[in-house]
Amino acid sequence: GAGKTTLLNYILTEQHQSKLAVIENEIGEVSIDDALVEQKQTDLSEELTVLNNGCVCCTIRGDLVNTLHNIAEKQKSGKVKLDGVLIELTGAADPAPVVQSFLLDDQCRAAFKIDNVIALVDALYGLEKLNENDGKNEGTACAQIAFSSTVLLNKIDLVGPDALTSLEKRIKEVNSMVKVVRCEHAKVDMSQLINVGAFDLARVLEEQYMEEDEFMQMYEPKMDSSIANVGIRCEGIISMPALQNFVGKYLDDPDVAKDFMRIKGLFNIGGKDKVFVMQCVHMMRHQNYTREWGKDEARENRIIFIGRGMQKRRQELTDGFMGCVVGAKPLRFPVGSKAMANVGHIMGYGMDMYFPCTIVKHWDDYKAYRIRMASDGDEGWANIDDDKFIKAADS
């Protein structure tokens, strides 16, 4: 949620001198980030490989090495001419095992060198993440800072100067040698990111009071095993009111939102010909329409929830999301039946005001119910099939 995909798009847009192979390592059952990377920019990179096998410190490492071997062989044979490889890791990954891959594998060591290890830090939530182990320099977030040569302190527009100063101080407590660059929307001068020769393993290990042999043979990746994910994908038309109501159920309550580290998704919204993208970090929600759907592209909806307690919510999240798909689940009230419409909620009055109505139509204008009020015959909509909007006449 700190802005890694935004940075990736920025790099592929801003730098035109170097041809890069891009490797993505995305946590989760459903791949989202490959669709969020702006496809019009991928001609600047030779490969976009989605690695989707779990955490980088275990199963992913083998796939990463094989991918690097493949790139090195293509480069040697002249099939491609690359200036570099860009590896984007998931926010739940410890970068140290990736560093090890370049040093322990003979072919990787001969073909590549590590130029820069960049960590993005969310200015709003970074201090909380770094202090989640009672202020000790432990855990995944601290490991990411420890093995970085550059830290991009992103989203600085969301906090004040005192908060930024405190966060920078905490970053330096973990890695006093790291370069900290403040930025908004992950935009920085490219000269600070690529071809800088910033990464120095000896300096990193000295900072962490660790010998190289110890790092190679005994280092244990710092992973948070409590983080899990639930991914859902389906075709169909999404009702925008239902989607916003569904996500708001989890993000509008601070006590619940703290468990939802990330929600990412792209959707086929009813009545729109553009892809709707949603990216959430705890209670912060960023969403907008992006590119046009392709002429022959399957309009598939994808959403992934990353955080704590996700597995126990799996069925609830799946059922809730499927309830946003127009016509995917039967509505409670048939056409012609009587119900009670919450006019206060529908009209945004901030109070419950239920009045009798009749169901006229299902999914009119991608809203759950078109209704006719019993009092004056006026027609309108109950956007969502939920008691907050409409309930049974005898309830």
Side-chain angles (χ1 to χ4, degrees):
K4 292 180 298 300
T5 301
T6 302
L7 174 63
L8 179 61
N9 279 321
Y10 175 69
I11 289 175
L12 292 175
T13 303
E14 293 297 320
Q15 72 85 25
H16 302 283
Q17 295 77 34
S18 301
K19 296 189 73 176
L20 300 175
V22 178
I23 301 173
E24 285 200 311
N25 167 28
E26 184 177 8
I27 188 172
E29 303 167 341
V30 173
S31 175
I32 301 288
D33 285 351
D34 63 316
L36 297 182
V37 174
E38 295 174 12
Q39 298 299 309
K40 65 183 180 181
Q41 305 300 344
T42 59
D43 58 337
L44 299 176
S45 61
E46 286 296 334
E47 294 191 7
L48 177 61
T49 304
V50 180
L51 306 178
N52 197 23
N53 297 351
C55 59
V56 70
C57 65
C58 47
T59 57
I60 265 298
R61 245 176 88 186
D63 290 343
L64 175 61
V65 170
N66 290 336
T67 302
L68 292 169
H69 285 178
N70 183 39
I71 292 172
E73 289 168 3
K74 288 183 177 181
Q75 177 85 347
K76 187 175 181 179
S77 67
K79 291 182 179 179
V80 297
K81 291 188 67 177
L82 297 172
D83 300 305
V85 176
L86 180 63
I87 303 173
E88 181 196 16
L89 301 183
T90 167
D94 181 347
V98 177
V99 173
Q100 287 177 326
S101 296
F102 284 92
L103 302 175
L104 292 173
D105 183 85
D106 291 339
Q107 190 173 346
C108 287
R109 190 169 60 248
F112 304 99
K113 69 174 183 178
I114 303 174
D115 177 60
N116 201 4
V117 177
I118 304 167
L120 273 86
V121 176
D122 186 320
L124 187 61
Y125 293 107
L127 193 60
E128 176 186 338
K129 293 296 181 186
L130 290 172
N131 287 335
E132 61 186 3
N133 290 291
D134 299 321
K136 299 176 183 177
N137 292 347
E138 299 176 353
T140 305
C142 286
Q144 291 173 346
I145 299 298
F147 274 86
S148 296
S149 41
T150 301
V151 166
L152 299 187
L153 187 49
N154 195 27
K155 307 182 185 180
I156 60 173
D157 52 313
L158 300 182
V159 299
D162 291 344
L164 289 174
T165 300
S166 297
L167 180 51
E168 282 197 20
K169 181 181 177 182
R170 183 70 181 95
I171 291 169
K172 290 289 186 176
E173 288 175 0
V174 179
N175 185 344
S176 64
M177 304 298 291
V178 75
K179 180 180 180 180
V180 180
V181 180
R182 295 184 179 187
C183 58
E184 297 179 30
H185 307 294
K187 290 188 177 181
V188 297
D189 193 296
M190 292 303 302
S191 64
Q192 300 188 72
L193 300 181
I194 294 176
N195 295 327
V196 292
F199 183 77
D200 184 340
L201 178 62
R203 191 172 69 180
V204 170
L205 297 181
E206 181 181 356
E207 180 78 12
Q208 303 306 314
Y209 303 103
M210 189 182 300
E211 298 292 334
E212 186 168 339
D213 288 346
E214 179 186 0
F215 171 64
M216 294 297 190
Q217 300 172 21
M218 302 175 61
Y219 182 85
E220 296 183 2
K222 310 300 189 295
M223 303 297 293
D224 188 341
S225 59
S226 68
I227 298 174
N229 70 89
V230 171
I232 308 163
R233 61 197 306 167
C234 66
E235 293 190 358
I237 298 172
I238 297 294
S239 165
M240 178 66 90
L243 176 65
Q244 298 294 343
N245 184 67
F246 167 62
V247 172
K249 176 182 176 182
Y250 301 102
L251 300 191
D252 293 345
D253 183 339
D255 291 333
V256 177
K258 69 177 186 291
D259 288 340
F260 286 79
M261 300 171 65
R262 291 298 308 276
I263 299 177
K264 299 188 285 184
L266 52 98
F267 312 99
N268 174 29
I269 300 296
K272 302 293 183 179
D273 289 321
K274 288 188 174 183
V275 179
F276 184 72
V277 171
M278 177 185 290
Q279 300 203 59
C280 310
V281 182
H282 297 300
M283 298 183 75
M284 298 290 293
R285 200 182 312 188
H286 178 73
Q287 52 193 3
N288 61 293
Y289 290 98
T290 56
R291 61 176 177 83
E292 299 276 347
W293 287 100
K295 182 179 179 181
D296 299 319
E297 180 181 5
R299 296 195 177 194
E300 183 183 56
N301 304 292
R302 305 187 214 173
I303 189 169
I304 189 165
F305 305 87
I306 303 171
R308 295 180 173 90
M310 295 299 107
Q311 291 303 326
K312 68 181 181 182
R313 295 183 172 105
R314 175 178 291 278
Q315 196 60 52
E316 174 188 321
L317 292 170
T318 302
D319 291 345
F321 181 66
M322 293 307 297
C324 302
V325 181
V326 174
K329 296 172 66 176
L331 298 179
R332 293 177 298 163
F333 309 120
V335 173
S337 65
K338 306 295 183 182
M340 298 290 290
N342 189 353
V343 176
H345 197 83
I346 293 171
M347 300 300 293
Y349 295 151
M351 63 182 72
D352 290 337
M353 299 169 57
Y354 287 93
F355 293 93
C357 69
T358 301
I359 307 300
V360 176
K361 189 177 181 180
H362 287 170
W363 296 116
D364 181 53
D365 196 27
Y366 309 107
K367 300 179 178 76
Y369 298 104
R370 185 173 183 87
I371 57 175
R372 180 181 300 115
M373 302 308 299
S375 58
D376 55 14
D378 283 353
E379 294 190 0
W381 295 273
N383 293 344
I384 302 167
D385 189 17
D386 185 279
D387 278 355
K388 288 191 302 183
F389 292 85
I390 190 167
K391 65 181 183 179
D394 57 356
S395 62

